Amino acid sequence: MALHGKVWTENPQQPEAEAFAVAGHRILAVGTDAEIEKLAGPHTRVIDLHGRRVVPGFNDAHVHFFWGGQSLASVQLRDVTSRQQFQQRIADYAKTRPAGEWIVDGNWDEEKWTPAELPTHDWIDSVTPNNPVWVNRSDGHMMLANALAMKLAGITKDTHDVPGGVIVRDKDGSPTGIFKDAAKDLVERVIPPPSDAQVDAALLAAQKYALDNGVTSVQDMGFTGSKAADMQALVVRGYQRLMAEGKWKVRVSARFPLDHYRRLADLGLMTNFGNDTLVVGSVKAFADGSLGSGSAWFFQPYDDAPGNSGLPTDDLAHTDQFFANLQGADRAGLHIATHAIGDRANKTILDLYERLEKEDGPADRRLRIEHAQHLRPEDIPRFAQLHVIASVQPYHCIDDGRWAEKRIGHKRAETTYAFRSLLDAGAILAFGSDWFVAPIDPLAGIYAATTRRTLDGKHPDGWIPEQKISVRQAVHAYTIGSAYAESQDDIKGSIAPGKLADFDVLSQDIFHIDPVEIENVKVVLTAVGGEIVRQ
Ligand SMILES: [Zn+2]
């Protein structure tokens, strides 16, 4: 049991408490110190919370867990601020790798150097003659290949563009090394799959990072491209291996690509097939790309690229097939989430979800839009009307907020990361990080949602401050909101009798400090199913 704390329960019947008792993996009782102390037996272990704030275990509604774990050990480009540094980091890393090994991940962001130009293969060819390089922009929608990677993939000047993707070319039409969205597949198909040992190592690294940040549940959105389903299958096997070895603690819901829903449906698996630690049975689709890569699909062109309004994915462009998959998955009992960034992508998915409800009748589907990033004002109320969960990542707001207006202007930015407007309209928010794209740290997300202070320090009072939300609302979205989004709010998301005993103890009481100080708050203890997994 845990005594002498300030417990934020997310249980509306009993919002605050001093103490709670755990029996087995679950919460037994919640109440005052006196009430809970009475339940102690001779073998009861007592944790003294010393007046600290306790919250339900953070549930990250959107991660790419293997990808993130793998990136922790790979070349680090996230904080690179110049072309020279970019080259140096890759050169240094390449020296540590055997010839022939692919150098992947990286998470570079051209907005961090001046001018904000995209890298090209010749920045790095001379330092990577023996290693194919395939490093991603931080959003995962754009990649840089070196000359060797393109050679192995058979990419030349004559390679054609693919629907839903872009091969960036120089004046002569030669590929520069940058591949966007569906074009990434041209290179990815020649990268060898990871071994079991590599999968396990990446997942364990991911788990450690998650638990260090108080994340007790993750919703694993998996991969992109034509190998996405096969890769997610490798990862799901990895989770099971690690569970069998007793090494796996974090609760995972692993999604498969919508266009492979039959793999699940054929076996009769439905949403949340599995156990308290691992479930499958939900699917994820893509409607468009990203703002940073200029591939998010808008009604109006980008301000800095006249004539470009982004584009739908090839899947969505074939709307009849896309809808048939939505309907097929839904009828098979598989919950659906769709990535949509641009306002046109969001509107289109809302329309398709509406059509699904019209044709097949109302049901508890937990339909989600992942990111729901740029919304036309008239589409915001539709999230509540259609019961569509907005699964959003607040950290992106303070990251993209540095440069988003350059791309889409101020007017469209007013309903970007529109958390306040969505809540005011009655929508349900689920919070996540989108790690590897952003750090997994939920407190950084709560800080972002409540302050909207961009990372460059240029908006001390918040970027589009009208869209700030309260700390309570942010914690709600990161606990019970995200549990609701994965349809597991019956077993987690709050500290209440019968629920899984997943909780975090914080270094400061985030409800009683200025939100700008939340940046410095740490998770000091994390428990999953009553077991202290980090202290
Ligand atoms: Zn994502």
Side-chain angles (χ1 to χ4, degrees):
M1 59 179 53
L3 302 171
H4 314 300
K6 289 191 279 185
V7 184
W8 186 259
T9 67
E10 288 297 342
N11 173 9
Q13 269 83 54
Q14 188 184 24
E16 291 247 38
E18 291 172 333
F20 56 96
V22 174
H25 300 302
R26 293 182 182 260
I27 305 281
L28 178 69
V30 182
T32 62
D33 286 333
E35 286 164 349
I36 298 304
E37 255 175 326
K38 272 194 287 197
L39 302 172
H43 303 294
T44 303
R45 179 171 176 204
V46 179
I47 303 172
D48 187 342
L49 295 165
H50 296 290
R52 283 200 158 131
R53 175 56 75 187
V54 180
V55 293
F58 291 117
N59 181 335
D60 193 317
H62 187 125
V63 296
H64 304 273
F65 220 45
F66 168 82
W67 203 339
Q70 183 181 251
S71 72
L72 292 173
S74 191
V75 62
Q76 303 295 313
L77 303 173
R78 196 185 291 277
D79 60 338
V80 160
T81 55
S82 69
R83 172 177 173 164
Q84 191 203 7
Q85 203 180 16
F86 186 91
Q87 187 192 50
Q88 192 61 49
R89 290 268 177 99
I90 290 175
D92 291 348
Y93 184 76
K95 279 182 207 143
T96 70
R97 311 318 303 168
E101 186 178 291
W102 282 75
I103 295 173
V104 296
D105 302 308
N107 296 308
W108 50 269
D109 177 1
E110 82 287 358
E111 295 292 342
K112 289 184 177 153
W113 54 77
T114 315
E117 58 182 351
L118 291 175
T120 61
H121 67 86
D122 43 51
W123 287 23
I124 54 171
D125 284 341
S126 64
V127 296
T128 54
N130 304 316
N131 296 87
V133 176
W134 183 242
V135 287
N136 65 292
R137 186 178 192 276
S138 56
D139 63 5
H141 289 269
M142 214 191 293
M143 314 289 295
L144 174 68
N146 69 350
L148 180 55
M150 287 194 282
K151 188 175 158 214
L152 292 171
I155 307 284
T156 66
K157 206 173 167 173
D158 302 323
T159 305
H160 293 297
D161 276 308
V162 293
V166 177
I167 302 171
V168 177
R169 297 168 197 271
D170 64 18
K171 281 191 218 71
D172 308 325
S174 298
T176 66
I178 294 287
F179 295 78
K180 295 187 189 181
D181 291 299
K184 298 188 306 178
D185 238 22
L186 297 169
V187 178
E188 254 151 34
R189 63 187 176 201
V190 302
I191 303 178
S195 66
D196 287 357
Q198 284 171 320
V199 170
D200 291 0
L203 292 180
L204 288 172
Q207 167 166 267
K208 181 177 186 307
Y209 178 60
L211 294 176
D212 281 352
N213 284 282
V215 175
T216 58
S217 288
V218 295
Q219 300 172 38
D220 185 354
M221 297 290 144
F223 302 85
T224 58
S226 62
K227 290 203 295 193
D230 293 337
M231 282 295 294
Q232 190 69 331
L234 285 182
V235 168
V236 167
R237 279 200 286 275
Y239 290 133
Q240 291 172 85
R241 262 195 312 275
L242 294 167
M243 279 168 61
E245 290 169 16
K247 293 177 183 162
W248 200 255
K249 309 289 178 194
V250 172
R251 303 188 195 284
V252 182
S253 165
R255 287 190 178 242
F256 279 81
L258 172 67
D259 53 354
H260 287 263
Y261 81 87
R262 282 199 187 84
R263 289 187 183 208
L264 301 164
D266 286 348
L267 295 174
L269 303 186
M270 300 198 293
T271 289
N272 294 338
F273 177 83
N275 58 28
D276 290 344
T277 303
L278 174 66
V279 294
V280 295
S282 305
V283 292
K284 156 116 186 267
F286 279 89
D288 65 347
S290 77
L291 182 70
S293 296
S295 51
W297 192 31
F298 284 94
F299 282 100
Q300 301 297 327
Y302 287 83
D303 286 35
D304 62 347
N308 176 32
S309 304
L311 69 173
T313 56
D314 192 38
D315 286 347
L316 183 59
H318 295 90
T319 312
D320 290 343
Q321 184 58 51
F322 189 91
F323 184 73
N325 286 344
L326 281 186
Q327 201 162 36
D330 182 62
R331 288 178 177 174
L334 307 169
H335 287 180
I336 297 160
T338 307
H339 162 120
I341 304 253
D343 54 14
R344 191 163 181 188
N346 275 281
K347 193 261 183 196
T348 305
I349 295 303
L350 289 168
D351 288 350
L352 291 174
Y353 283 172
E354 188 169 14
R355 186 176 151 198
L356 184 63
E357 290 255 342
K358 274 216 182 89
E359 289 190 13
D360 287 2
D364 182 6
R365 297 187 165 89
R366 311 282 162 118
L367 292 168
R368 304 164 52 148
I369 290 185
E370 303 302 306
H371 312 305
Q373 200 164 297
H374 309 285
L375 304 173
R376 298 185 308 175
E378 61 264 45
D379 290 324
I380 289 174
R382 298 181 70 200
F383 281 80
Q385 284 155 13
L386 299 169
H387 310 290
V388 174
I389 298 152
S391 170
V392 295
Q393 300 78 35
Y395 190 88
H396 290 342
C397 166
I398 60 171
D399 193 351
D400 294 8
R402 290 174 293 135
W403 47 261
E405 289 193 41
K406 188 170 78 181
R407 297 257 154 95
I408 56 168
H410 186 71
K411 189 81 205 121
R412 282 187 284 188
E414 284 178 346
T415 47
T416 284
Y417 303 105
F419 309 148
R420 162 71 63 186
S421 298
L422 282 161
L423 285 177
D424 287 351
I428 289 177
L429 289 189
F431 270 3
S433 64
D434 206 5
W435 183 58
F436 63 90
V437 178
I440 209 169
D441 183 3
L443 290 160
I446 293 166
Y447 165 83
T450 53
T451 70
R452 294 179 74 100
R453 287 183 155 195
T454 53
L455 299 180
D456 58 10
K458 289 193 179 147
H459 298 89
D461 298 320
W463 178 57
I464 323 290
E466 313 79 66
Q467 294 293 351
K468 285 183 206 172
I469 63 171
S470 70
V471 177
R472 287 180 178 207
Q473 288 168 325
V475 171
H476 188 82
Y478 236 128
T479 54
I480 194 77
S482 40
Y484 180 83
E486 62 168 339
S487 201
Q488 297 217 50
D489 50 313
D490 54 337
I491 57 164
K492 55 189 176 181
S494 60
I495 298 175
K499 291 243 175 137
L500 292 165
D502 302 347
F503 60 90
D504 289 311
V505 181
L506 307 180
S507 63
Q508 290 183 69
D509 183 0
I510 54 175
F511 300 103
H512 292 107
I513 56 175
D514 188 328
V516 303
E517 291 170 36
I518 293 175
E519 210 180 11
N520 304 316
V521 178
K522 298 273 174 273
V523 174
V524 296
L525 181 149
T526 299
V528 178
E531 180 190 350
I532 296 174
V533 290
R534 186 184 156 268
Q535 197 169 17

